[in-house]
Amino acid sequence: MTPTEKIWHNGKLVSWNEATIHVLSHVVSYGSSVFEGIRAYETPTGPAVFRLREHMRRLIDSAKIYRIHFPFDVDQLCAAALELVSVNKLKSCYVRPIVLRGYGSMGVLPTNNPIEVYMACWEWGKYLGEEALSQGADVCVSSWTRNAPNTMPTLSKAGGNYLSSQLIRMEAHENGYDEGIALDVNGLVSEGSGENIFVIRDEKIFTPPLASSVLGGITRESAMRLALDRGITVVETNIPREMLYIADEIFFTGTAAEVTPIRSVDKMKIGAGKRGPITEMIQKDFFGIVNGTSPDKYGWLTPVPVLTKA
Ligand SMILES: Cc1ncc(COP(=O)(O)O)c(C=O)c1O
């Protein structure tokens, strides 16, 4: 990660090195944070942020689930993100807002700990690699099960949830795979460690419902919209593990992973063992919009204002 100049903290810009917390902050022992991951893309008319409002709304929702109250609304958070990308003069980047419970008391009950809101951005390339985007990723079904309903709520993008993601990702990595797919507590397909999953069979697209312990992905919703507008049927339904092996195509979606084809699961070839035609179409539609080469017909991009010197 290459540091940038500024990080936003509770309404003010501070230098990269100043954005620090005390080791006894509540979040360090107890994982009490919620966060977002947002991409700003380079377009012919300058940088633009993808689905900024939806991300900030999810940040507020994630915080609400954990009774984390902070004094910034969607408009203020969006303005902060745009200012941040602008002052750091990045053409494209990843924006990471983090809301955390800070330094105060050391018990589990967090109500006396201050809430700190940070937002940083930096340049970030292709998450599963440039090659995976065109050739497809090799993935496995994880031996780790996703958090069961009514344990750690997966609709909240909470820092602590990523302990589960780390187990999935590390196991996949150790065994030579690009990524792992987790099953839910009922043994049904849930999601990747940081991606939602789509399975295609007979030209229909299937994806697990929100109740399958998934994060309500913003790229997931975008891919569903793109597919529907192409006249493809999209079904949110329980997916048994074996449906992965007999799929014609599978792809991941996520802010980091964007739209990434999967070419094998547990060393079994998926379809022709390369990016399939429906995946390619959704990928092209997605990248056309975010790279500004096709019209932004859904209003998904927010241009980053250019700072003029006073
Ligand atoms: C566990 C998990 N699932 C799914 C996603 C995809 O969500 P989105 O498309 O909003 O980035 C992410 C990434 O944020 C994630 O961490």
Side-chain angles (χ1 to χ4, degrees), residues 31-97:
S32 32
S33 68
V34 295
F35 68 100
E36 269 306 316
I38 311 170
R39 271 195 197 262
Y41 287 90
E42 182 174 3
T43 78
T45 51
V49 185
F50 182 63
R51 306 204 68 175
L52 180 57
R53 290 192 74 78
E54 289 85 344
H55 279 282
M56 293 311 186
R57 181 176 175 219
R58 188 172 66 185
L59 181 69
I60 290 172
D61 289 345
S62 295
K64 186 175 182 195
I65 291 169
Y66 281 97
R67 301 174 194 269
I68 295 176
H69 307 291
F70 61 94
F72 300 106
D73 62 18
V74 170
D75 289 326
Q76 289 166 313
L77 293 168
C78 290
L82 295 173
E83 185 189 11
L84 181 74
V85 177
S86 192
V87 295
N88 284 312
K89 302 185 195 72
L90 296 171
K91 289 192 182 125
S92 65
C93 63
Y94 186 85
V95 182
R96 167 60 55 85

Side-chain angles (χ1 to χ4, degrees), residues 37 55 58 146 157 162 165 191-196 215-220 253-256:
H55 279 282
R58 188 172 66 185
R146 259 298 189 222
K157 193 171 167 66
Y162 287 79
S165 294
E191 60 177 357
S193 72
E195 306 88 6
N196 294 110
L215 178 71
I218 290 162
T219 325
R220 171 185 184 271
T253 61
T255 298

